[in-house]
Amino acid sequence: MLQASTILLALGLVIWSVTWTGVLDIPMEVFWALTIGGICMLLMHIASTRRASNAC
């Protein structure tokens, strides 16, 4: 899950930079969807690892 969230955050950053430089005209909704998805997956990963470490 950590790898997937990192990939989503990296893709969001790439899309933002390509749109900001004006190379492509990609809707900002795509950037926000990838970024929010990556953040949510990262938070789920953190919550699951904390829960697993507290169970021991």
Side-chain angles (χ1 to χ4, degrees):
M1 190 176 300
L2 185 59
Q3 293 172 349
S5 64
T6 305
I7 290 171
L8 286 177
L9 290 171
L11 282 175
L13 182 63
V14 167
I15 288 175
W16 176 80
S17 63
V18 168
T19 303
W20 185 71
T21 57
V23 174
L24 291 174
D25 189 24
I26 300 172
M28 289 304 288
E29 290 83 15
V30 175
F31 160 73
W32 283 112
L34 290 173
T35 304
I36 298 299
I39 290 171
C40 289
M41 290 183 74
L42 186 62
L43 290 175
M44 288 189 309
H45 173 75
I46 291 170
S48 67
T49 55
R50 284 190 181 174
R51 189 175 314 137
S53 65
N54 289 339
C56 293

